[in-house]
Amino acid sequence: MNNSPFGHPAWIEIDLIQFKKNILKVKEYIGQTWLCLPVKANAYGHGLIPIALAACEAGVDYLCVSCLQEGALLRRAGIQIPILVLGAIHQDQISGLIHHNLEFTIDSAFKAKMIADICQQLRKVVKVHLEIDTGMQRTGVSIEAAAEVIAFIDSCPCFELVGVYSHFAMVDDLESSFTSQQIQVFKKFTESYIAKRDKKIICHIANSGGVAYFPDSYMDMVRPGILVFGHYSHIPQALKGIQPCFMLRAKIAYSKLVPKGEGISYGHRYTTPVNTRIITIPLGYGDGFRRSLSNKAHILMKGKRYPIAGTICMDQFMVDIGQDSAQIGDTVTIIGQDGREEITVNEIGMLCDTISYEILCGFNSRLPRVYHTENNSLWENEYLDFSF
Ligand SMILES: *Cc1c(COP(=O)(O)O)cnc(C)c1O
């Protein structure tokens, strides 16, 4: 672990063996349905290229990203499977989308016309997915307008319609009937406009919640993200082998005895209750470890939990380890397992009053990422050299 770039003393570890197990579990669960893995936002903070390469090895059928930039990085890394760009397309991006052989989304009549004009000028044929809004009210063609947009797409030789999709708004509320309504509306749409066509069109709507609890939402392809990364909070029994593959670790930077009654860190928001040992961890909100975790979160050392003491600084925070001992340079776990103890991303999210997704996406590039496989462990930078 000492060969991290610049010997950096805090890092993210990704267990690609577990990640691939998660993919295989989901594949087994969904049967013949295609699996499209969302790798937007740096693969939910796990690192875009290594995750995408591992996903391809594990047999995912499709990748989806939010924007051209992410799709272009994947193509530059040599990834050849279909990639769908989910986000709204802007005029300036169309030639780049075509250049990188990305499939993209038509979400309105206006966009359809704009894209058609540019593609005709460039004399290119593009593969598109039509997005239908079934109740998210984010992007997507309304059900009422869908027939007209499909007719327009069909009238343009520059378009090859390869998919239609929609997105759930309420699937994380297992009590809500809204997801079933969305499925019904989307299925009615596909039966009216898609099923009778000569050419097969990929219909897809399910995200993680859909995969976990709405088998009638599978259709031709599913797009589970957080479930495959192992952080879905209500994993059904049949998917129990799915586990997180993300660990955050650091080396102890400093250790000292502090007498009873001393204030710790900015604002002295923690006072030592007794004579105690305080250690310093070289990680802070400048890395994406939230300041709102001050005095709330824990870390693990030698299989035991210890509380964060006081305010989290930009680059460091302190931990009260009581009467226990610690060596400078020893590794502690901030997220992940150590012995029988585990700190999950969900636990951290809850403490910050947010969801696992936002915590994962918040870790930035100051933290190097290392990838463990059966054969070796590669740092992201080595991985990149390797894959180009
Ligand atoms: C992010 C996203 C997904 C994946 O969502 P999860 O909740 O991580 O499964 C699927 N579809 C679309 C359109 C998305 O934006």
Side-chain angles (χ1 to χ4, degrees), residues 38 40 44 64 86 138 165-167 206-209 223-227 357:
K40 57 200 187 189
Y44 291 50
C64 60
L86 299 163
R138 182 168 68 180
Y165 76 95
S166 190
H167 191 50
N207 56 2
S208 294
R223 312 182 304 264
I226 204 77
L227 176 69
Y357 303 66

PDB file of all heavy atoms in Angstrom, residues 38 40 44 64 86 138 165-167 206-209 223-227 357, ligand 1:
ATOM      1  N   PRO A  38     -24.944   2.014 -14.985  1.00  0.00           N
ATOM      2  CA  PRO A  38     -24.670   3.451 -14.933  1.00  0.00           C
ATOM      3  C   PRO A  38     -23.287   3.693 -14.328  1.00  0.00           C
ATOM      4  O   PRO A  38     -23.000   3.207 -13.237  1.00  0.00           O
ATOM      5  CB  PRO A  38     -25.764   4.003 -14.005  1.00  0.00           C
ATOM      6  CG  PRO A  38     -26.800   2.916 -13.914  1.00  0.00           C
ATOM      7  CD  PRO A  38     -26.046   1.635 -14.085  1.00  0.00           C
ATOM      8  N   LYS A  40     -22.024   6.967 -14.391  1.00  0.00           N
ATOM      9  CA  LYS A  40     -21.949   8.430 -14.316  1.00  0.00           C
ATOM     10  C   LYS A  40     -21.258   8.867 -13.022  1.00  0.00           C
ATOM     11  O   LYS A  40     -21.137   8.065 -12.088  1.00  0.00           O
ATOM     12  CB  LYS A  40     -23.364   9.004 -14.393  1.00  0.00           C
ATOM     13  CG  LYS A  40     -24.272   8.472 -13.303  1.00  0.00           C
ATOM     14  CD  LYS A  40     -25.741   8.649 -13.653  1.00  0.00           C
ATOM     15  CE  LYS A  40     -26.586   8.266 -12.458  1.00  0.00           C
ATOM     16  NZ  LYS A  40     -28.009   8.194 -12.764  1.00  0.00           N
ATOM     17  N   TYR A  44     -20.033   6.495  -9.730  1.00  0.00           N
ATOM     18  CA  TYR A  44     -20.490   6.680  -8.348  1.00  0.00           C
ATOM     19  C   TYR A  44     -19.289   6.804  -7.411  1.00  0.00           C
ATOM     20  O   TYR A  44     -19.264   6.257  -6.300  1.00  0.00           O
ATOM     21  CB  TYR A  44     -21.384   5.534  -7.890  1.00  0.00           C
ATOM     22  CG  TYR A  44     -22.756   5.447  -8.549  1.00  0.00           C
ATOM     23  CD1 TYR A  44     -22.909   5.493  -9.921  1.00  0.00           C
ATOM     24  CD2 TYR A  44     -23.913   5.304  -7.784  1.00  0.00           C
ATOM     25  CE1 TYR A  44     -24.165   5.405 -10.522  1.00  0.00           C
ATOM     26  CE2 TYR A  44     -25.176   5.211  -8.375  1.00  0.00           C
ATOM     27  CZ  TYR A  44     -25.292   5.256  -9.738  1.00  0.00           C
ATOM     28  OH  TYR A  44     -26.519   5.164 -10.326  1.00  0.00           O
ATOM     29  N   CYS A  64     -24.176   3.325 -19.193  1.00  0.00           N
ATOM     30  CA  CYS A  64     -24.763   4.646 -19.400  1.00  0.00           C
ATOM     31  C   CYS A  64     -24.042   5.668 -18.551  1.00  0.00           C
ATOM     32  O   CYS A  64     -23.511   5.365 -17.476  1.00  0.00           O
ATOM     33  CB  CYS A  64     -26.274   4.656 -19.197  1.00  0.00           C
ATOM     34  SG  CYS A  64     -26.836   4.165 -17.570  1.00  0.00           S
ATOM     35  N   LEU A  86     -27.317   9.715 -20.942  1.00  0.00           N
ATOM     36  CA  LEU A  86     -28.679   9.933 -20.426  1.00  0.00           C
ATOM     37  C   LEU A  86     -29.064  11.413 -20.385  1.00  0.00           C
ATOM     38  O   LEU A  86     -30.220  11.766 -20.542  1.00  0.00           O
ATOM     39  CB  LEU A  86     -28.774   9.398 -18.991  1.00  0.00           C
ATOM     40  CG  LEU A  86     -28.511   7.911 -18.772  1.00  0.00           C
ATOM     41  CD1 LEU A  86     -28.242   7.648 -17.295  1.00  0.00           C
ATOM     42  CD2 LEU A  86     -29.696   7.081 -19.245  1.00  0.00           C
ATOM     43  N   ARG A 138     -38.577  15.542 -15.057  1.00  0.00           N
ATOM     44  CA  ARG A 138     -37.208  16.060 -15.140  1.00  0.00           C
ATOM     45  C   ARG A 138     -36.920  16.359 -16.610  1.00  0.00           C
ATOM     46  O   ARG A 138     -36.825  17.502 -17.006  1.00  0.00           O
ATOM     47  CB  ARG A 138     -36.229  15.038 -14.547  1.00  0.00           C
ATOM     48  CG  ARG A 138     -34.785  15.508 -14.545  1.00  0.00           C
ATOM     49  CD  ARG A 138     -33.887  14.619 -13.690  1.00  0.00           C
ATOM     50  NE  ARG A 138     -33.690  13.267 -14.228  1.00  0.00           N
ATOM     51  CZ  ARG A 138     -32.935  12.341 -13.640  1.00  0.00           C
ATOM     52  NH1 ARG A 138     -32.313  12.601 -12.508  1.00  0.00           N
ATOM     53  NH2 ARG A 138     -32.802  11.138 -14.166  1.00  0.00           N
ATOM     54  N   TYR A 165     -36.963   4.805 -23.258  1.00  0.00           N
ATOM     55  CA  TYR A 165     -36.822   4.585 -21.821  1.00  0.00           C
ATOM     56  C   TYR A 165     -37.546   5.637 -21.007  1.00  0.00           C
ATOM     57  O   TYR A 165     -38.018   6.647 -21.524  1.00  0.00           O
ATOM     58  CB  TYR A 165     -35.345   4.497 -21.431  1.00  0.00           C
ATOM     59  CG  TYR A 165     -34.534   5.776 -21.372  1.00  0.00           C
ATOM     60  CD1 TYR A 165     -34.373   6.453 -20.172  1.00  0.00           C
ATOM     61  CD2 TYR A 165     -33.898   6.275 -22.504  1.00  0.00           C
ATOM     62  CE1 TYR A 165     -33.584   7.606 -20.102  1.00  0.00           C
ATOM     63  CE2 TYR A 165     -33.110   7.427 -22.445  1.00  0.00           C
ATOM     64  CZ  TYR A 165     -32.959   8.083 -21.246  1.00  0.00           C
ATOM     65  OH  TYR A 165     -32.190   9.214 -21.168  1.00  0.00           O
ATOM     66  N   SER A 166     -37.655   5.342 -19.704  1.00  0.00           N
ATOM     67  CA  SER A 166     -38.250   6.269 -18.759  1.00  0.00           C
ATOM     68  C   SER A 166     -37.541   6.068 -17.418  1.00  0.00           C
ATOM     69  O   SER A 166     -36.648   5.224 -17.311  1.00  0.00           O
ATOM     70  CB  SER A 166     -39.758   6.005 -18.652  1.00  0.00           C
ATOM     71  OG  SER A 166     -40.378   7.048 -17.922  1.00  0.00           O
ATOM     72  N   HIS A 167     -37.919   6.854 -16.433  1.00  0.00           N
ATOM     73  CA  HIS A 167     -37.185   6.795 -15.155  1.00  0.00           C
ATOM     74  C   HIS A 167     -38.157   6.923 -13.987  1.00  0.00           C
ATOM     75  O   HIS A 167     -39.095   7.706 -14.034  1.00  0.00           O
ATOM     76  CB  HIS A 167     -36.157   7.930 -15.117  1.00  0.00           C
ATOM     77  CG  HIS A 167     -35.171   7.839 -13.986  1.00  0.00           C
ATOM     78  ND1 HIS A 167     -34.468   6.688 -13.697  1.00  0.00           N
ATOM     79  CD2 HIS A 167     -34.762   8.752 -13.071  1.00  0.00           C
ATOM     80  CE1 HIS A 167     -33.672   6.912 -12.652  1.00  0.00           C
ATOM     81  NE2 HIS A 167     -33.835   8.150 -12.253  1.00  0.00           N
ATOM     82  N   ALA A 206     -36.148   0.284 -15.475  1.00  0.00           N
ATOM     83  CA  ALA A 206     -35.821  -0.063 -14.083  1.00  0.00           C
ATOM     84  C   ALA A 206     -34.440   0.430 -13.654  1.00  0.00           C
ATOM     85  O   ALA A 206     -33.445   0.175 -14.331  1.00  0.00           O
ATOM     86  CB  ALA A 206     -35.890  -1.573 -13.896  1.00  0.00           C
ATOM     87  N   ASN A 207     -34.376   1.106 -12.526  1.00  0.00           N
ATOM     88  CA  ASN A 207     -33.115   1.400 -11.836  1.00  0.00           C
ATOM     89  C   ASN A 207     -32.966   0.367 -10.707  1.00  0.00           C
ATOM     90  O   ASN A 207     -33.609  -0.682 -10.744  1.00  0.00           O
ATOM     91  CB  ASN A 207     -33.105   2.851 -11.334  1.00  0.00           C
ATOM     92  CG  ASN A 207     -34.300   3.150 -10.443  1.00  0.00           C
ATOM     93  OD1 ASN A 207     -35.118   2.258 -10.166  1.00  0.00           O
ATOM     94  ND2 ASN A 207     -34.413   4.374  -9.987  1.00  0.00           N
ATOM     95  N   SER A 208     -32.159   0.669  -9.685  1.00  0.00           N
ATOM     96  CA  SER A 208     -31.918  -0.345  -8.636  1.00  0.00           C
ATOM     97  C   SER A 208     -33.210  -0.788  -7.957  1.00  0.00           C
ATOM     98  O   SER A 208     -33.442  -1.982  -7.777  1.00  0.00           O
ATOM     99  CB  SER A 208     -30.958   0.213  -7.573  1.00  0.00           C
ATOM    100  OG  SER A 208     -29.700   0.430  -8.132  1.00  0.00           O
ATOM    101  N   GLY A 209     -34.035   0.175  -7.563  1.00  0.00           N
ATOM    102  CA  GLY A 209     -35.288  -0.162  -6.881  1.00  0.00           C
ATOM    103  C   GLY A 209     -36.180  -1.024  -7.760  1.00  0.00           C
ATOM    104  O   GLY A 209     -36.834  -1.963  -7.283  1.00  0.00           O
ATOM    105  N   ARG A 223     -31.236  -0.699 -15.571  1.00  0.00           N
ATOM    106  CA  ARG A 223     -30.117   0.236 -15.335  1.00  0.00           C
ATOM    107  C   ARG A 223     -29.856   0.413 -13.835  1.00  0.00           C
ATOM    108  O   ARG A 223     -29.966   1.512 -13.305  1.00  0.00           O
ATOM    109  CB  ARG A 223     -30.445   1.619 -15.928  1.00  0.00           C
ATOM    110  CG  ARG A 223     -30.968   1.637 -17.353  1.00  0.00           C
ATOM    111  CD  ARG A 223     -31.198   3.076 -17.838  1.00  0.00           C
ATOM    112  NE  ARG A 223     -32.086   3.838 -16.988  1.00  0.00           N
ATOM    113  CZ  ARG A 223     -33.398   4.005 -17.191  1.00  0.00           C
ATOM    114  NH1 ARG A 223     -33.989   3.465 -18.249  1.00  0.00           N
ATOM    115  NH2 ARG A 223     -34.111   4.712 -16.346  1.00  0.00           N
ATOM    116  N   PRO A 224     -29.518  -0.648 -13.120  1.00  0.00           N
ATOM    117  CA  PRO A 224     -29.278  -0.495 -11.679  1.00  0.00           C
ATOM    118  C   PRO A 224     -27.866   0.030 -11.412  1.00  0.00           C
ATOM    119  O   PRO A 224     -26.887  -0.535 -11.886  1.00  0.00           O
ATOM    120  CB  PRO A 224     -29.420  -1.918 -11.149  1.00  0.00           C
ATOM    121  CG  PRO A 224     -29.000  -2.786 -12.289  1.00  0.00           C
ATOM    122  CD  PRO A 224     -29.330  -2.049 -13.557  1.00  0.00           C
ATOM    123  N   GLY A 225     -27.764   1.100 -10.643  1.00  0.00           N
ATOM    124  CA  GLY A 225     -26.459   1.653 -10.293  1.00  0.00           C
ATOM    125  C   GLY A 225     -26.084   1.288  -8.866  1.00  0.00           C
ATOM    126  O   GLY A 225     -25.263   0.405  -8.615  1.00  0.00           O
ATOM    127  N   ILE A 226     -26.725   1.936  -7.904  1.00  0.00           N
ATOM    128  CA  ILE A 226     -26.326   1.809  -6.501  1.00  0.00           C
ATOM    129  C   ILE A 226     -26.381   0.344  -6.025  1.00  0.00           C
ATOM    130  O   ILE A 226     -25.582  -0.066  -5.194  1.00  0.00           O
ATOM    131  CB  ILE A 226     -27.204   2.742  -5.611  1.00  0.00           C
ATOM    132  CG1 ILE A 226     -26.499   3.092  -4.315  1.00  0.00           C
ATOM    133  CG2 ILE A 226     -28.598   2.155  -5.350  1.00  0.00           C
ATOM    134  CD1 ILE A 226     -25.421   4.122  -4.446  1.00  0.00           C
ATOM    135  N   LEU A 227     -27.288  -0.432  -6.598  1.00  0.00           N
ATOM    136  CA  LEU A 227     -27.389  -1.857  -6.236  1.00  0.00           C
ATOM    137  C   LEU A 227     -26.118  -2.607  -6.644  1.00  0.00           C
ATOM    138  O   LEU A 227     -25.560  -3.382  -5.856  1.00  0.00           O
ATOM    139  CB  LEU A 227     -28.625  -2.473  -6.916  1.00  0.00           C
ATOM    140  CG  LEU A 227     -28.827  -3.976  -6.727  1.00  0.00           C
ATOM    141  CD1 LEU A 227     -29.192  -4.294  -5.279  1.00  0.00           C
ATOM    142  CD2 LEU A 227     -29.923  -4.504  -7.670  1.00  0.00           C
ATOM    143  N   TYR A 357     -25.382   7.919  -2.346  1.00  0.00           N
ATOM    144  CA  TYR A 357     -24.938   8.425  -3.660  1.00  0.00           C
ATOM    145  C   TYR A 357     -24.115   9.711  -3.515  1.00  0.00           C
ATOM    146  O   TYR A 357     -23.067   9.876  -4.137  1.00  0.00           O
ATOM    147  CB  TYR A 357     -26.133   8.789  -4.542  1.00  0.00           C
ATOM    148  CG  TYR A 357     -27.158   7.737  -4.836  1.00  0.00           C
ATOM    149  CD1 TYR A 357     -27.976   7.205  -3.844  1.00  0.00           C
ATOM    150  CD2 TYR A 357     -27.373   7.314  -6.145  1.00  0.00           C
ATOM    151  CE1 TYR A 357     -28.968   6.276  -4.143  1.00  0.00           C
ATOM    152  CE2 TYR A 357     -28.370   6.388  -6.453  1.00  0.00           C
ATOM    153  CZ  TYR A 357     -29.150   5.868  -5.443  1.00  0.00           C
ATOM    154  OH  TYR A 357     -30.120   4.955  -5.734  1.00  0.00           O
TER     155      TYR A 357
HETATM  156  C1  LIG B   1     -28.725   7.309 -12.158  1.00  0.00           C
HETATM  157  C2  LIG B   1     -29.734   6.699 -13.014  1.00  0.00           C
HETATM  158  C3  LIG B   1     -29.992   5.327 -12.902  1.00  0.00           C
HETATM  159  C4  LIG B   1     -29.429   4.456 -11.803  1.00  0.00           C
HETATM  160  O1  LIG B   1     -30.058   4.747 -10.578  1.00  0.00           O
HETATM  161  P1  LIG B   1     -29.790   3.856  -9.253  1.00  0.00           P
HETATM  162  O2  LIG B   1     -30.733   4.417  -8.279  1.00  0.00           O
HETATM  163  O3  LIG B   1     -28.362   4.083  -8.901  1.00  0.00           O
HETATM  164  O4  LIG B   1     -30.060   2.463  -9.621  1.00  0.00           O
HETATM  165  C5  LIG B   1     -30.852   4.760 -13.820  1.00  0.00           C
HETATM  166  N1  LIG B   1     -31.433   5.515 -14.783  1.00  0.00           N
HETATM  167  C6  LIG B   1     -31.217   6.848 -14.896  1.00  0.00           C
HETATM  168  C7  LIG B   1     -31.899   7.622 -15.969  1.00  0.00           C
HETATM  169  C8  LIG B   1     -30.367   7.480 -14.013  1.00  0.00           C
HETATM  170  O5  LIG B   1     -30.175   8.794 -14.113  1.00  0.00           O
END
